[in-house]
């Protein structure tokens, strides 16, 4: 019994059934002597005892309450201002506490793993009831872990409120832990933090100039490392900006002969309402593009145009760099229930069968589990003759398309995806391109500037990815990558493409950090992972946590 209901520093007297299916344990402190807290005189003279009734950890699924008898002794020093004092059980219970230390630790762990309200609901089912306010109080009272002096740190910004407020996260790269959270991402705040960590050797960061200036000002001897993932991201963003202005020119390029990729051609036709809405949206895009071009030619700034039209500043900047009006994006065809049966449908249509119900019966025999609606919609855009069910009022209005191989569809101009999709395709390694992406790339590299930019980006991406590969950290590999990087800078500046020249100039400004990224294994990947954990914690509290609570929960997270 004593082992099952062991209470630190106390002697078990009895175990009884309490109210509401709980357990009441009568215990008494083991100590019989102590020193007066006022004068320090030892004493064993008893004066009495008083009762405390704290909650304790549950036992066998039942809540436990202690009936603790605390001894009170008399002070034997006649000149002491205190006449009596008690013998607290400090290992079990804090002064004035209504719960034992071990119960408070268990509730604290639940509060850190969930949030206040969810933790309160969970604890009620675990026979350790506590309110949400109590869990918040326990979380704020938890001591922060001791942090050793870091040698290498990673620093990155995180969105407190996306697009409005930002903070800074600092990670110890050697110990793989977040060591601090700063309330904003200004260089002044980061400088103030660095002043108490002047013995740093490595500072890994993104391409932020604020963090670079702060590190250079406070810890100039530390080696700064530009994050390789951000280098690749910046290269793709440079491509996107350039493709926005060149998109109209690239759309006019023909599809190369023999490079057409197999396309899943089972897209369903759009309704007349959707087509009318698309035409209206295209008209408004053309009107806004013309207005932006006119105002930009008159010398107005991007922000002034954005306030006047109104449009987002990024959209104004994109419209200002485009030669022609933007077109609606091309939707990619997703998976469909008809995918396994397309070959049978195409063969039967080539044989002249355009009866939807007949095709449905045949597919059902082959194992098709879908309905008839998708088959009718697929057949609608591929008919070579009018359906029997076509209303009479539409028979004269709908032209009948005849001829071998006809699909019943008007000839459509080959369209290009948006600049983001094209930039992604241009940064992919050649062996990772799908047939469709390869056909798109073959089409756009007919443009000389696009071909030049594609070659530059491919060599830069290969250089950065090679630096992040294990086994390429030797000095010989590093020297070779540095030589290749210097040659790439010269070639980019001589390319005559303004976007590439601007990107190369930015790399030259941050050349020391980029060279370190190409020759050492340090990176800022750990900071990105810790930001993911921070977002998870923030969402657990529905984005309503204050900065102090959010920082405390991140630093206390396992």
């Amino acid at each position: 019994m004593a082992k099952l209901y062991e209470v630190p520093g106390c002697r078990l007297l009895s175990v009884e059934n309490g109210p509401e299916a709980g357990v009441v344990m009568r215990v008494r402190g083991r100590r019989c002597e102590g020193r007066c807290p006022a004068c320090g005189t030892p004493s064993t003279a008893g004066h009495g005892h008083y009762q405390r009734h704290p909650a304790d950890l549950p036992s066998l699924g039942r809540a436990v309450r202690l009936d603790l008898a605390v001894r009170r002794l008399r002070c034997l020093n006649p000149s002491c201002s205190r006449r009596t004092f008690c013998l607290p059980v400090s290992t079990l219970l804090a002064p004035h506490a209504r719960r034992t230390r071990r119960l408070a630790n268990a509730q604290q762990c639940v509060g850190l793993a969930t949030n206040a309200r969810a933790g309160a609901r969970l604890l009620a089912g675990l026979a350790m009831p506590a309110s949400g306010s109590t869990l918040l109080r326990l979380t704020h009272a938890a001591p922060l872990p001791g942090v050793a002096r870091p040698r290498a740190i990673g620093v990155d910004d995180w969105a407190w409120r996306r697009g409005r407020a930002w903070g800074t996260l600092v990670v110890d790269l050697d110990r793989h832990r977040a060591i601090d959270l700063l309330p904003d991402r200004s260089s002044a705040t980061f400088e103030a933090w660095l002043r108490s960590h002047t013995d740093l050797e490595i500072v890994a960061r993104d391409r932020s100039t604020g963090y670079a200036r702060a590190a250079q000002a406070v810890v100039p001897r530390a080696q700064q490392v530009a994050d390789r993932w951000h280098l690749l991201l910046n290269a793709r963003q440079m491509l996107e900006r350039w493709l926005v202005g060149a998109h109209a020119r690239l759309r006019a390029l023909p599809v190369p002969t023999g490079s057409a990729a197999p396309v899943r051609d089972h897209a369903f036709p759009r309704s007349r309402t959707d087509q009318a809405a698309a035409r209206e949206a295209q008209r408004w895009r053309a009107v806004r593009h013309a207005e932006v071009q006119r105002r930009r030619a008159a010398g107005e700034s991007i922000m002034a145009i954005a306030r006047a039209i109104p449009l987002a500043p990024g959209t104004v900047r994109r419209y200002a760099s485009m030669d022609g009006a933007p077109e609606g994006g091309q939707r990619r065809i997703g998976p469909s229930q008809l995918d396994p049966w397309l070959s049978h449908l195409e063969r039967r249509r080539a044989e002249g069968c355009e009866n939807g119900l007949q095709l449905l019966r045949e597919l059902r025999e082959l194992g098709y589990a879908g309905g008839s609606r998708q088959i009718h919609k697929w057949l609608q855009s591929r008919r070579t003759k009018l359906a029997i069910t076509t209303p009479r009022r539409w028979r004269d209005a709908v032209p009948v398309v005849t001829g071998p191989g006809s699909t019943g569809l008007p000839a459509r101009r080959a369209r290009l995806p948006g600049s983001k999709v094209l930039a992604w395709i241009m940064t992919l390694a050649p062996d990772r391109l799908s047939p469709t992406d390869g056909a798109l790339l073959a089409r756009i590299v007919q443009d000389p500037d696009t071909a030049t930019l594609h070659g530059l980006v491919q060599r830069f991406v290969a250089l950065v990815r090679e630096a992040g590969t294990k086994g390429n950290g030797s000095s010989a590999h590093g020297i070779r990558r540095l030589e290749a990087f210097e040659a790439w800078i010269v070639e980019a500046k001589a390319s005559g493409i303004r976007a590439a020249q601007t990107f190369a100039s930015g790399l030259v400004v941050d050349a020391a950090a980029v060279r370190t990224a190409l020759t050492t294994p340090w990176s800022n990947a750990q900071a990105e992972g810790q930001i993911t954990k921070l977002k998870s914690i923030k969402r657990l509290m529905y984005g309503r946590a204050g900065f102090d609570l959010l920082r405390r929960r991140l630093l206390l997270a396992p």
Side-chain angles (χ1 to χ4, degrees):
M1 179 71 74
K3 290 295 183 183
L4 181 62
Y5 297 101
E6 185 174 1
V7 182
C10 296
R11 182 162 50 91
L12 179 65
L13 301 179
S14 65
V15 180
E16 305 170 355
N17 289 328
E20 300 180 0
V23 175
V24 177
M25 298 170 54
R26 295 183 60 246
V27 294
R28 182 185 294 271
R30 294 183 181 275
R31 293 176 58 190
C32 297
E33 62 177 347
R35 291 181 176 273
C36 175
C39 64
T41 303
S43 173
T44 58
H47 183 268
H49 66 273
Y50 71 94
Q51 300 295 124
R52 295 184 67 176
H53 308 283
D56 198 10
L57 286 175
S59 177
L60 302 178
R62 303 176 68 186
V64 172
R65 181 174 60 82
L66 300 182
D67 193 353
L68 174 63
V70 181
R71 281 181 67 91
R72 187 178 289 277
L73 303 180
R74 287 186 294 108
C75 181
L76 300 180
N77 184 1
S79 61
C80 181
S81 59
R82 298 192 62 158
R83 303 298 298 274
T84 64
F85 61 92
C86 66
L87 293 176
V89 188
S90 56
T91 58
L92 175 69
L93 201 60
H96 312 291
R98 302 294 300 274
R99 56 180 53 80
T100 60
R101 294 184 187 273
R102 56 187 183 182
L103 175 60
N105 289 335
Q107 293 172 337
Q108 187 181 85
C109 291
V110 171
L112 289 172
T114 57
N115 60 55
R117 291 186 180 180
R121 292 193 295 268
L122 177 61
L123 288 172
L126 298 177
M128 296 185 290
S131 66
S133 300
T134 298
L135 291 182
L136 286 176
R137 187 172 64 253
L138 291 174
T139 302
H140 282 290
L144 294 177
V147 178
R149 299 290 294 181
R151 178 181 68 93
I153 65 167
V155 57
D156 203 355
D157 54 11
W158 57 279
W160 177 253
R161 283 183 175 82
R162 189 167 184 84
R164 298 184 182 181
W166 303 79
T168 298
L169 175 68
V170 185
V171 178
D172 189 335
L173 298 181
D174 287 324
R175 296 174 180 83
H176 303 264
R177 288 191 62 88
I179 56 177
D180 212 342
L181 201 65
L182 307 180
D184 57 56
R185 59 175 179 178
S186 65
S187 58
T189 301
F190 187 47
E191 280 186 26
W193 186 89
L194 286 174
R195 289 192 187 98
S196 58
H197 301 80
T198 55
D199 53 348
L200 290 173
E201 299 177 14
I202 299 292
V203 178
R205 54 172 176 78
D206 58 11
R207 302 294 308 288
S208 169
T209 58
Y211 296 145
R213 287 195 304 268
Q216 183 62 32
V218 181
V219 284
R221 293 186 301 274
Q223 208 171 21
Q224 297 191 38
V225 184
D227 185 52
R228 288 185 288 272
W229 181 84
H230 283 90
L231 289 173
L232 298 177
L233 174 66
N234 297 150
R236 184 164 59 84
Q237 290 171 339
M238 177 269 293
L239 273 178
E240 288 181 21
R241 289 191 294 268
W242 184 83
L243 286 168
V244 164
H247 202 271
R249 184 174 78 243
L250 299 180
R251 283 201 307 266
L253 294 173
V255 177
T257 305
S259 67
V263 180
R264 295 165 59 189
D265 189 20
H266 62 273
F268 299 139
R270 303 177 69 181
S271 65
R272 291 184 177 87
T273 304
D274 290 342
Q275 294 174 10
R279 287 193 296 270
E280 181 66 15
Q282 179 62 31
R283 185 183 71 82
W284 272 108
R285 281 193 292 268
V287 170
R288 292 191 181 101
H289 174 265
E291 180 69 9
V292 169
Q293 291 283 342
R294 183 184 65 80
R295 289 178 177 270
R296 193 63 175 156
E300 295 187 30
S301 66
I302 296 293
M303 294 303 298
I305 298 174
R307 287 190 294 266
I309 291 184
L311 282 175
T315 305
V316 174
R317 188 175 292 107
R318 182 162 57 92
Y319 282 11
S321 63
M322 299 178 70
D323 298 332
E327 290 190 357
Q330 183 181 10
R331 294 184 298 176
R332 290 195 169 187
I333 302 173
S336 169
Q337 284 183 308
L338 291 179
D339 287 350
W341 324 106
L342 287 178
S343 58
H344 178 81
L345 290 174
E346 290 290 355
R347 180 174 59 80
R348 292 290 290 132
R349 192 187 66 83
E351 293 173 358
C353 178
E354 296 185 359
N355 188 320
L357 293 179
Q358 175 62 27
L359 293 175
L360 175 63
R361 287 191 290 267
E362 294 176 6
L363 291 187
R364 286 278 171 82
E365 293 177 357
L366 296 175
Y368 174 66
S372 62
R373 181 175 179 81
Q374 288 197 335
I375 296 178
H376 284 296
K377 292 182 70 176
W378 177 88
L379 190 59
Q380 178 182 349
S381 59
R382 291 160 177 83
R383 291 188 182 276
T384 59
K385 55 187 177 182
L386 294 177
I388 299 176
T389 57
T390 303
R392 184 176 298 276
R393 64 179 180 274
W394 298 111
R395 288 182 177 270
D396 296 333
V398 179
V400 178
V401 182
T402 59
S406 174
T407 63
L409 291 174
R412 291 182 294 179
R413 181 165 59 100
R415 301 181 65 184
L416 276 180
S419 58
K420 288 188 177 181
V421 177
L422 293 179
W424 178 256
I425 291 173
M426 290 178 68
T427 54
L428 280 178
D431 57 346
R432 295 183 59 191
L433 288 172
S434 66
T436 304
D437 294 340
L440 284 172
L441 182 61
R443 178 183 172 189
I444 62 177
V445 295
Q446 296 177 98
D447 180 72
D449 288 347
T450 307
T452 302
L453 200 56
H454 176 252
L456 286 171
V457 169
Q458 283 291 313
R459 286 194 292 278
F460 181 78
V461 168
L463 187 65
V464 175
R465 285 178 176 162
E466 181 188 352
T469 305
K470 292 183 178 179
N472 287 327
S474 64
S475 58
H477 284 94
I479 293 173
R480 182 178 57 81
R481 282 194 293 272
L482 286 181
E483 293 173 351
F485 174 67
E486 300 297 340
W488 186 90
I489 291 291
V490 173
E491 187 177 353
K493 288 187 174 182
S495 64
I497 303 175
R498 185 176 179 182
Q501 293 171 340
T502 304
F503 180 61
S505 299
L507 293 178
V508 170
V509 172
D510 204 17
V514 175
R515 292 190 185 99
T516 308
L518 296 177
T519 55
T520 64
W522 296 106
S523 75
N524 212 27
Q526 292 185 43
E528 300 293 341
Q530 294 291 338
I531 288 175
T532 301
K533 179 189 288 188
L534 176 64
K535 290 179 180 178
S536 176
I537 294 173
K538 188 160 73 78
R539 287 167 183 159
L540 274 175
M541 296 180 286
Y542 301 95
R544 299 174 62 184
F547 174 76
D548 180 64
L549 178 60
L550 191 61
R551 176 178 179 271
R552 179 174 292 273
R553 288 202 55 178
L554 177 67
L555 299 182
L556 289 171

